[in-house]
Amino acid sequence: MSRPSEFELIARFFAPLAKAAPGAFGLTDDAAILRPSAGEELVVTADALVEGVHFLRDDPAETVARKALRVNLSDLAAKGAKPLGYLLVLALPDWPGTDWLAAFAKGLAEDQRKYGFVLHGGDTTATPGPLCIAVTAFGTVPAGQMLRRAGARPGDLAFVSGGIGGGGGGVQILKNNRPGIPPEIADELVRRYRLPEPRLALGAKLRGLASAALDVSDGLIADLGHIAEVSGVHIAVEAARVPLVAGLKELWAGEAVAKAVTAGDDYEIAFTAPASARAQILEAARQSATPVTEIGRVEEGEGIALMDASGREIPLPRQGYTHF
Ligand code: ADP
Ligand code: MG
């Protein structure tokens, strides 16, 4: 195929992804229509991936596409929302080639199927900067039930889903060429960096159970710190309880916990809940086949702290990833 125009590109690669959405009009209109069912509210969120910041030049187009959807699905998951549809803005530094676009669209199609998510429109533009993929995601919750960051109370317990540090470990391996750790462990860390797993089934079950929740994108400590701040409480995390992804002790030795809790790119759900809800939380974890670990407690005060086994605070050089 010779280089298609912007419109041919949309018709060929993106319109097929919008087929299942009547309100997307086959990507032939200026805008789309989204309608939540009666009694539901729309939950709206956006996350962009920039080459060199959120993915690497050599990452496969297919996983870059899927990560762009998954980081947004992770936000919906943490809010207890069910995926509905998304918009896709692509800023391309130059013509990426038909193969790249086909693989990119294939990745989108795969995760659309997996998560029940449908393309509703977007924009395509050239840029003098690096490749940028911006997704705006729409989900639904029963009216009034979106999980919030505000709401943690002294006496609550703190939990996290899945494993922590995998994204940070994976990106280090991609940049440093696997420094002497077994290939199957290195591959699993890279997989976690490229393909985080949005915890949608768990998130939906946390509605009405969690007192506060958010997705862990910048680092467990930084993100739980956001809950502490908007909830007006202190959160103490026990280092020994943090569920480290396998292989990080080999990669980071004695610094594994400190690095894992501040690395970012994990896309797990961190949340708080009253101690009386502990059994229900564990049941929600079982029913959604998602590991959940109790990692700390909410107290009066402010800020976030990582504690060692003797109850002393472990000093951290930084709380998480920041862009500026
Ligand atoms: P306009 O310039 O008039 O806003 P566009 O030419 O940008 O319209 O878009 C035409 C149609 O294609 C719209 O329905 C838009 O939502 C869709 N579209 C454009 N780029 C993308 C993209 N990257 N992904 C999905 N849909 C897109
Ligand atoms: Mg446009």
Side-chain angles (χ1 to χ4, degrees), residues 6-7 10 29-30 122-124:
E6 180 190 333
F7 306 106
I10 291 162
D29 212 315
D30 295 304
D123 199 19
T124 307

Side-chain angles (χ1 to χ4, degrees), residues 297-317:
R297 61 198 179 280
V298 180
E299 297 163 350
E300 280 181 34
E302 59 180 39
I304 176 96
L306 183 67
M307 313 301 287
D308 71 14
S310 56
R312 270 190 297 267
E313 185 172 350
I314 300 173
L316 294 169

Side-chain angles (χ1 to χ4, degrees), residues 6-7 9-11 13-15 17-18 24-32 86-92 104 108 119-125 134:
E6 180 190 333
F7 306 106
L9 182 156
I10 291 162
F13 294 107
F14 297 127
L17 298 171
F25 309 114
L27 305 187
T28 57
D29 212 315
D30 295 304
Y86 67 98
L87 302 176
L88 173 69
V89 177
L90 277 181
L92 303 169
F104 185 80
L108 295 176
L119 182 62
H120 277 70
D123 199 19
T124 307
T125 171

Side-chain angles (χ1 to χ4, degrees), residues 12-240:
R12 174 165 173 194
F13 294 107
F14 297 127
L17 298 171
K19 256 202 204 124
F25 309 114
L27 305 187
T28 57
D29 212 315
D30 295 304
I33 289 174
L34 274 178
R35 193 193 343 222
S37 306
E40 291 185 331
E41 284 173 328
L42 274 184
V43 176
V44 179
T45 181
D47 252 324
L49 299 191
V50 177
E51 182 183 305
V53 182
H54 304 92
F55 64 95
L56 304 174
R57 181 170 277 275
D58 294 333
D59 284 338
E62 206 171 320
T63 63
V64 171
R66 297 172 77 187
K67 184 168 180 178
L69 296 189
R70 289 174 179 218
V71 299
N72 281 278
L73 289 163
S74 174
D75 276 313
L76 292 182
K79 300 297 100 182
K82 181 168 174 253
L84 183 60
Y86 67 98
L87 302 176
L88 173 69
V89 177
L90 277 181
L92 303 169
D94 47 33
W95 170 241
T98 308
D99 289 351
W100 191 93
L101 280 167
F104 185 80
K106 183 164 171 257
L108 295 176
E110 196 164 332
D111 275 358
Q112 285 199 179
R113 265 195 308 277
K114 189 169 163 90
Y115 297 110
F117 209 32
V118 187
L119 182 62
H120 277 70
D123 199 19
T124 307
T125 171
T127 174
L131 174 59
C132 176
I133 302 153
V135 170
T136 301
F138 302 86
T140 57
V141 287
Q145 287 195 40
M146 187 183 90
L147 293 168
R148 303 283 316 276
R149 290 183 178 187
R153 298 270 205 83
D156 285 357
L157 306 174
F159 299 86
V160 72
S161 68
I164 289 298
V171 75
Q172 172 162 337
I173 283 165
L174 286 171
K175 288 179 170 168
N176 292 12
N177 229 352
R178 320 192 160 196
I181 75 166
E184 59 286 358
I185 288 181
D187 288 350
E188 171 60 13
L189 292 173
V190 168
R191 190 198 62 75
R192 283 176 182 260
Y193 171 70
R194 286 181 171 160
L195 282 183
E197 270 185 55
R199 304 297 191 178
L200 288 155
L202 174 69
K205 293 204 176 296
L206 293 179
R207 289 197 312 264
L209 213 51
S211 51
L214 88 178
D215 94 309
V216 178
S217 53
D218 297 331
L220 179 66
I221 290 295
D223 286 318
L224 272 176
H226 297 318
I227 287 185
E229 189 176 348
V230 294
S231 296
V233 294
H234 174 78
I235 300 179
V237 174
E238 290 178 47

